[in-house]
PDB file of all heavy atoms in Angstrom:
ATOM      1  N   LEU A  92      49.618   1.414  82.013  1.00  0.00           N
ATOM      2  CA  LEU A  92      48.470   2.266  82.306  1.00  0.00           C
ATOM      3  C   LEU A  92      48.894   3.570  82.968  1.00  0.00           C
ATOM      4  O   LEU A  92      48.311   4.632  82.706  1.00  0.00           O
ATOM      5  CB  LEU A  92      47.482   1.514  83.203  1.00  0.00           C
ATOM      6  CG  LEU A  92      46.856   0.257  82.591  1.00  0.00           C
ATOM      7  CD1 LEU A  92      45.863  -0.361  83.573  1.00  0.00           C
ATOM      8  CD2 LEU A  92      46.171   0.566  81.280  1.00  0.00           C
ATOM      9  N   ARG A  96      48.195   7.234  81.394  1.00  0.00           N
ATOM     10  CA  ARG A  96      47.533   8.299  82.153  1.00  0.00           C
ATOM     11  C   ARG A  96      48.353   9.585  82.109  1.00  0.00           C
ATOM     12  O   ARG A  96      47.794  10.677  82.011  1.00  0.00           O
ATOM     13  CB  ARG A  96      47.318   7.856  83.594  1.00  0.00           C
ATOM     14  CG  ARG A  96      46.115   6.948  83.793  1.00  0.00           C
ATOM     15  CD  ARG A  96      45.778   6.806  85.266  1.00  0.00           C
ATOM     16  NE  ARG A  96      46.801   6.047  85.969  1.00  0.00           N
ATOM     17  CZ  ARG A  96      46.784   4.732  86.122  1.00  0.00           C
ATOM     18  NH1 ARG A  96      45.787   4.029  85.613  1.00  0.00           N
ATOM     19  NH2 ARG A  96      47.743   4.105  86.779  1.00  0.00           N
ATOM     20  N   LEU A 188      46.320  -1.951  72.611  1.00  0.00           N
ATOM     21  CA  LEU A 188      46.749  -2.158  73.992  1.00  0.00           C
ATOM     22  C   LEU A 188      46.650  -3.619  74.412  1.00  0.00           C
ATOM     23  O   LEU A 188      47.591  -4.171  74.999  1.00  0.00           O
ATOM     24  CB  LEU A 188      45.888  -1.288  74.921  1.00  0.00           C
ATOM     25  CG  LEU A 188      46.224  -1.356  76.412  1.00  0.00           C
ATOM     26  CD1 LEU A 188      47.658  -0.892  76.646  1.00  0.00           C
ATOM     27  CD2 LEU A 188      45.250  -0.499  77.208  1.00  0.00           C
ATOM     28  N   THR A 450      -5.678   9.812  66.938  1.00  0.00           N
ATOM     29  CA  THR A 450      -5.729   9.446  65.519  1.00  0.00           C
ATOM     30  C   THR A 450      -4.367   9.636  64.858  1.00  0.00           C
ATOM     31  O   THR A 450      -3.925   8.793  64.070  1.00  0.00           O
ATOM     32  CB  THR A 450      -6.787  10.287  64.800  1.00  0.00           C
ATOM     33  OG1 THR A 450      -8.057  10.109  65.444  1.00  0.00           O
ATOM     34  CG2 THR A 450      -6.907   9.873  63.345  1.00  0.00           C
ATOM     35  N   LEU A 459       4.659   3.291  60.435  1.00  0.00           N
ATOM     36  CA  LEU A 459       5.833   2.502  60.822  1.00  0.00           C
ATOM     37  C   LEU A 459       5.646   1.027  60.468  1.00  0.00           C
ATOM     38  O   LEU A 459       6.615   0.336  60.130  1.00  0.00           O
ATOM     39  CB  LEU A 459       6.087   2.657  62.323  1.00  0.00           C
ATOM     40  CG  LEU A 459       6.501   4.059  62.788  1.00  0.00           C
ATOM     41  CD1 LEU A 459       6.609   4.103  64.306  1.00  0.00           C
ATOM     42  CD2 LEU A 459       7.819   4.471  62.150  1.00  0.00           C
TER      43      LEU A 459
END
Side-chain angles (χ1 to χ4, degrees):
L92 297 182
R96 280 193 291 270
L188 181 61
T450 303
L459 294 175

